[in-house]
Amino acid sequence: MKYRALGSLVDDPQKFVEQPPLEPQVFDGSATVLELLTTAEIDEVIARGGARTPGLTLAQSSKPAPTTEITLVRFSQEPDIRDLADPLGVAEYLQAGYSLTLNNLHRYHERLGRFAERLGYELANPVKAISFFTPPGAQAFTQHHDTASNFICQTEGRKLWRLYRPAVSNPLDRHPWSWTTLSEEDRNRLIDGPADMEVLLEAGSVLWIPRGWIHAGVTEDDLSLHVSFRVETSTEHWLAQTVVDWLADQRDFRQDLPAGFAASPELGRSAVKSVLEKMAAQLSEGDLPAVTEYVRTAHFSRFIGPRMRPITDVLRGTEGVLDNVQLRPEGAIGHSWENGALRVHLGSAERIFEGPSAVVVRDLLLEEPDDLVATAVARLGQADGERLVRQLVASGLAVRDSQPW
């Protein structure tokens, strides 16, 4: 695999994939980091009405700005525009020292979307993009942990980060940050003790923060703009939950429990024992292939899937020349070879390739040739090669270079 995205963030992408750092680490990054997002682009998103709450938020020291004061709801009762950001309201809170957050930028910002999709492909996990703009001398959030690991990519200005060892090891979504659940020892070390690490992130640099590590960033005499790429890994708990979801389709697991099972310790123990025994029997070796396939499909469905233009790529996909068509292997969440056919997983959908085309598509996804059309034609002949390329475009696995996706 060519690490085009991850290689622009870390020094040794292959080593990173094999074992992501267990502690925060700073990387020099590359020129690509500086090109990810600019403040001018954020201004355009807000000015043109592309930003909506709750995707857009403003906060100061973990205190959010009231939604009613940063959206058009205070000017209009039209339901389709009430959640649009009000540029004047946003500006007022920025002037007051609030920081601006734009969530899910990977869904509507072209460059970040392509980068996040490629990064997720290389890491084999979904990746989300979130931007944070902080005025000089401001802080959006006090100490907190995230339930996913993050690449903090500084695109403009500087930001000072203080990092502390986890209070909760590998927190899940059910373990959101809360000061009230901390032990007295953890509260004291976060309030009065020194940080375990302190990093001044300059424009172009990258900070890796493993999930659970407590952190807080603050600007000094400079503004700060960074993009956080949130890596949504799959945990053992997620797999266990997914297996339980599979059991919902098995008739024996839809029966009612005995009345009063929770009130009676004896009935409770009996019910738990019975269900665990049924699970062990149901999840025997014979069901392993079906359960594994269900888990794989559930994992693939967590990805957005390939990006395509339904009119240009699909409805009119048989038209036009094939100049400047490039392979986009990141459109394939995964692929598997079964009984002479290639199953390409496209998020919540699949595409099956058979015969000679299956072999060629498999090789293309693995090799990532620079000239897709020439390679396909060389392998299959002119007509079949061009037909395959058009199929790849219609599947989101290839793109014309003139298109933004």
Side-chain angles (χ1 to χ4, degrees):
M1 177 182 291
K2 299 178 180 179
Y3 293 107
R4 294 173 177 168
L6 185 60
S8 68
L9 303 182
V10 305
D11 303 330
D12 189 337
Q14 182 64 48
K15 180 181 177 181
F16 188 98
V17 169
E18 292 172 355
Q19 178 55 69
L22 300 178
E23 297 189 353
Q25 187 170 341
V26 178
F27 299 96
D28 292 335
S30 67
T32 300
V33 174
L34 296 172
E35 299 169 355
L36 288 172
L37 185 67
T38 67
T39 52
E41 289 175 312
I42 292 179
D43 267 344
E44 282 299 305
V45 169
I46 297 173
R48 293 180 178 272
R52 296 174 178 265
T53 57
L56 176 148
T57 62
L58 287 127
Q60 184 181 58
S61 299
S62 298
K63 178 184 178 182
T67 301
T68 54
E69 296 188 19
I70 59 173
T71 61
L72 296 181
V73 66
R74 56 180 176 166
F75 301 118
S76 174
Q77 295 302 311
E78 296 182 42
D80 57 336
I81 67 170
R82 295 180 69 190
D83 60 347
L84 287 177
D86 169 32
L88 180 59
V90 171
E92 289 174 349
Y93 273 89
L94 288 176
Q95 288 176 321
Y98 279 66
S99 298
L100 171 68
T101 300
L102 290 175
N103 292 286
N104 293 314
L105 270 176
H106 58 287
R107 289 189 174 272
Y108 59 89
H109 186 283
E110 172 202 337
R111 196 180 315 113
L112 289 181
R114 296 180 69 171
F115 189 89
E117 187 176 21
R118 180 70 197 193
L119 184 60
Y121 173 72
E122 295 171 6
L123 294 172
N125 284 294
V127 171
K128 298 178 179 180
I130 309 167
S131 73
F132 297 84
F133 172 80
T134 308
Q139 182 180 49
F141 303 101
T142 57
Q143 294 107 314
H144 66 282
H145 70 223
D146 293 327
T147 57
S149 300
N150 287 275
F151 286 105
I152 306 298
C153 299
Q154 192 75 24
T155 64
E156 292 185 20
R158 302 185 302 171
K159 198 166 196 176
L160 178 66
W161 291 91
R162 295 185 176 93
L163 302 112
Y164 308 79
R165 297 195 175 278
V168 179
S169 177
N170 293 323
L172 304 174
D173 288 341
R174 63 175 58 194
H175 306 124
W177 175 259
S178 174
W179 283 94
T180 60
T181 60
L182 294 178
S183 66
E184 183 178 356
E185 178 183 357
D186 283 328
R187 283 197 296 269
N188 289 339
R189 73 181 174 95
L190 293 176
I191 295 173
D192 300 323
D196 293 294
M197 291 180 63
E198 195 167 286
V199 175
L200 181 62
L201 213 59
E202 305 276 356
S205 298
V206 177
L207 171 62
W208 165 255
I209 305 180
R211 67 185 170 109
W213 270 78
I214 302 167
H215 54 281
V218 61
T219 56
E220 297 178 333
D221 57 352
D222 197 3
L223 61 78
S224 168
L225 175 64
H226 76 262
V227 179
S228 177
F229 290 103
R230 179 182 172 98
V231 183
E232 304 281 348
T233 54
S234 296
T235 65
E236 291 183 353
H237 180 264
W238 172 87
L239 190 149
Q241 280 189 317
T242 305
V243 171
V244 171
D245 289 341
W246 179 83
L247 290 173
D249 291 329
Q250 313 309 308
R251 182 177 57 187
D252 290 346
F253 286 86
R254 298 201 292 268
Q255 299 181 40
D256 293 339
L257 292 171
F261 82 95
S264 167
E266 183 178 350
L267 278 178
R269 284 192 296 269
S270 176
V272 171
K273 182 175 183 292
S274 175
V275 170
L276 290 178
E277 288 175 347
K278 286 173 65 175
M279 288 178 65
Q282 187 71 57
L283 300 174
S284 62
E285 192 69 24
D287 288 312
L288 186 58
V291 177
T292 301
E293 183 60 24
Y294 186 89
V295 170
R296 292 177 71 242
T297 301
H299 174 70
F300 293 142
S301 67
R302 298 171 65 204
F303 291 77
I304 293 178
R307 300 170 185 267
M308 65 186 74
R309 293 176 175 270
I311 298 174
T312 303
D313 297 339
V314 181
L315 186 62
R316 302 180 61 184
T318 59
E319 304 174 5
V321 297
L322 291 175
D323 294 341
N324 299 321
V325 176
Q326 297 180 352
L327 185 71
R328 291 187 60 254
E330 55 267 32
I333 311 306
H335 59 274
S336 55
W337 188 260
E338 299 177 10
N339 301 321
L342 185 71
R343 296 176 61 191
V344 181
H345 303 281
L346 309 171
S348 58
E350 289 185 339
R351 183 67 187 267
I352 307 296
F353 294 91
E354 298 179 310
S357 294
V359 178
V360 174
V361 173
R362 179 195 61 185
D363 293 344
L364 290 173
L365 294 175
L366 294 175
E367 298 167 6
E368 301 187 34
D370 294 328
D371 195 329
L372 170 61
V373 177
T375 303
V377 168
R379 295 287 300 274
L380 295 172
Q382 190 73 34
D384 289 342
E386 290 187 358
R387 186 179 301 110
L388 176 62
V389 171
R390 294 186 189 281
Q391 291 175 350
L392 294 176
V393 171
S395 302
L397 298 174
V399 63
R400 290 180 173 84
D401 188 48
S402 59
Q403 297 176 3
W405 291 120

